[in-house]
Amino acid sequence: MNILISGGSGFLGSAFSDELIKRYRTQDQELHITWLTRNSSQAHPDDIRMMTYDALENTDNTFDVILNLAGAGIADSRWSDERKEQLLASRVKPTESLLAFIERSGVKPKLLVSGSAIGWYGTQGDKPLAEGSAFETDFSHRLCDEWEQLALKATDYGVPVAIVRTGVVIHPDGGMLGKLSLPFKLGLGGQLGDGKQIMSWVSRDDWVGAAILIIEQHLAGKIDTRQDRGLTNSSTTDDNTLKTASNTPALVYNLTTPNPVTNHTFTKEVGAWLHRPTFFTLPSPLLKLMFGDMSTLLIDGQKVLPQALLDAGYEFKQPTLKQALEGQRIK
């Protein structure tokens, strides 16, 4: 396999690359991974090739799969108007570069896997949401939807697309836990608001495993797209299929665990994992004052379920939060 990854050095891209290399070495299969970067001198593992966006404009290289993960962290800072523009641009510009490459390539990729987030569904409380569910319009939805609609243009060139809507990714070494570990270790951890909001999460190990399964099943032709049941480019059917003008396959996958938890439960689990008390509570009005519109990520829940992954036969290695926190797999 020859795969191109935007955002390859990030929290997800690096773990995906490591696992794919390990699997292909074990199976003695040929694998070439290229990270797309704006900095040609960026540090990277010896097994990884590097390509700049400028080089992408002129390369005649071909890739079996493109994994599009580039994008600034949505929860990294307050959502000012300027920050909202940065969040969108950080997703749109890399995707536009990939589309331009796809358009002029003589040999098209067999699959584009493009990142998104469960924010696409908007705020819907504890209502169960699968891939075919409707959405509520807010900034998170508009951000995700514009990114998804742009990626779906790859189908105009005959390239199948898999959209992966990711929940909160849990791993002991970083991500959300990396940001929370210091206040929790200082005994300042606590629930947010009333703690009843649902948190849809996935372990990083399962995110990687699910992404690999999606790619391998697509390449093996094991995906039933059922295009005749689709609706429009912005609407899902009762399954995970998206309708495209070219009838090229496009599907959506929720990358979340089947076991979402409340913020209260999450807080208690993290406290127990770190052996620290969790007495504090940050009330919703204070969170809104501190974070503005971004506070919706903290106090408004989403119960997003991975129906398409389960239908595809994916078996979660870390289905419980305790296993994800401790990095333990099911035996």
Side-chain angles (χ1 to χ4, degrees):
M1 183 195 301
N2 195 358
I3 183 168
L4 176 67
I5 307 176
S6 68
S9 63
F11 181 61
L12 293 177
S14 58
F16 173 89
S17 300
D18 289 345
E19 178 64 18
L20 200 62
I21 290 170
K22 183 173 70 175
R23 290 194 187 193
Y24 272 64
R25 279 181 177 169
T26 300
Q27 299 168 7
D28 197 25
Q29 296 184 43
E30 185 175 2
L31 174 68
H32 301 289
I33 297 177
T34 301
W35 285 356
L36 195 56
T37 180
R38 299 196 182 281
N39 180 7
S40 59
S41 62
Q42 182 182 29
H44 60 279
D46 293 338
D47 292 322
I48 304 294
R49 301 173 179 178
M50 303 293 281
M51 177 182 290
T52 65
Y53 282 88
D54 289 339
L56 183 68
E57 294 179 2
N58 302 301
T59 186
D60 57 1
N61 289 359
T62 62
F63 299 96
D64 299 303
V65 176
I66 297 176
L67 178 58
N68 181 25
L69 299 176
I74 193 170
D76 287 352
S77 63
R78 189 184 181 98
W79 289 351
S80 64
D81 289 343
E82 180 181 5
R83 180 58 179 171
K84 288 180 179 180
E85 292 178 3
Q86 291 172 347
L87 290 171
L88 181 59
S90 69
R91 288 157 173 76
V92 166
K93 289 181 178 179
T95 306
E96 288 177 336
S97 295
L98 292 171
L99 286 172
F101 166 75
I102 289 171
E103 180 181 14
R104 67 175 181 78
S105 295
V107 179
K108 307 297 186 189
K110 300 181 177 101
L111 177 68
L112 168 64
V113 180
S114 196
S116 185
I118 60 173
W120 186 90
Y121 298 100
T123 301
Q124 301 198 50
D126 59 359
K127 176 183 177 181
L129 302 170
E131 287 81 0
S133 298
F135 60 85
E136 294 290 333
T137 301
D138 57 17
F139 171 69
S140 292
H141 168 76
R142 293 192 298 271
L143 175 67
C144 294
D145 193 56
E146 189 159 347
W147 194 14
E148 290 186 14
Q149 293 306 311
L150 185 59
L152 286 172
K153 290 183 179 181
T155 62
D156 294 343
Y157 310 115
V159 176
V161 175
I163 301 291
V164 290
R165 293 176 182 158
T166 300
V168 176
V169 181
I170 300 297
H171 191 272
D173 292 343
M176 181 180 183
L177 287 181
K179 297 177 182 179
L180 291 178
S181 61
L182 180 58
F184 268 80
K185 287 177 179 178
L186 293 174
L188 301 177
Q191 76 179 33
L192 306 177
D194 62 13
K196 295 179 181 179
Q197 63 272 36
I198 302 295
M199 176 178 165
S200 297
W201 62 275
V202 65
S203 76
R204 189 173 69 171
D205 286 354
D206 275 317
W207 189 97
V208 169
I212 292 175
L213 176 79
I214 291 167
I215 290 171
E216 291 183 341
Q217 286 199 349
H218 273 264
L219 295 184
K222 296 180 180 179
I223 301 297
D224 175 15
T225 60
R226 289 173 280 183
Q227 280 285 308
D228 59 314
R229 296 173 61 184
L231 297 175
T232 69
N233 269 3
S234 60
S235 301
T236 54
T237 67
D238 56 349
D239 55 28
N240 66 323
T241 306
L242 294 171
K243 182 66 176 178
T244 63
S246 64
N247 284 329
T248 300
L251 296 101
V252 177
Y253 297 86
N254 292 336
L255 267 58
T256 58
T257 179
N259 301 304
V261 297
T262 64
N263 176 258
H264 175 79
T265 297
F266 174 79
T267 300
K268 294 302 180 184
E269 290 274 8
V270 173
W273 172 58
L274 293 172
H275 306 291
R276 292 293 187 273
T278 54
F279 299 134
F280 287 90
T281 296
L282 286 175
S284 296
L286 178 59
L287 290 168
K288 291 178 180 179
L289 182 64
M290 292 170 61
F291 298 107
D293 291 347
M294 196 188 78
S295 63
T296 186
L297 299 178
L298 306 174
I299 59 180
D300 296 319
Q302 289 179 303
K303 188 176 183 179
V304 180
L305 303 173
Q307 190 58 54
L309 276 183
L310 295 174
D311 290 346
Y314 183 73
E315 297 182 5
F316 284 81
K317 308 304 182 195
Q318 297 168 343
T320 70
L321 185 57
K322 185 176 188 299
Q323 288 168 320
L325 291 171
E326 296 177 353
Q328 295 180 347
R329 292 173 174 264
I330 289 180
K331 296 181 179 179

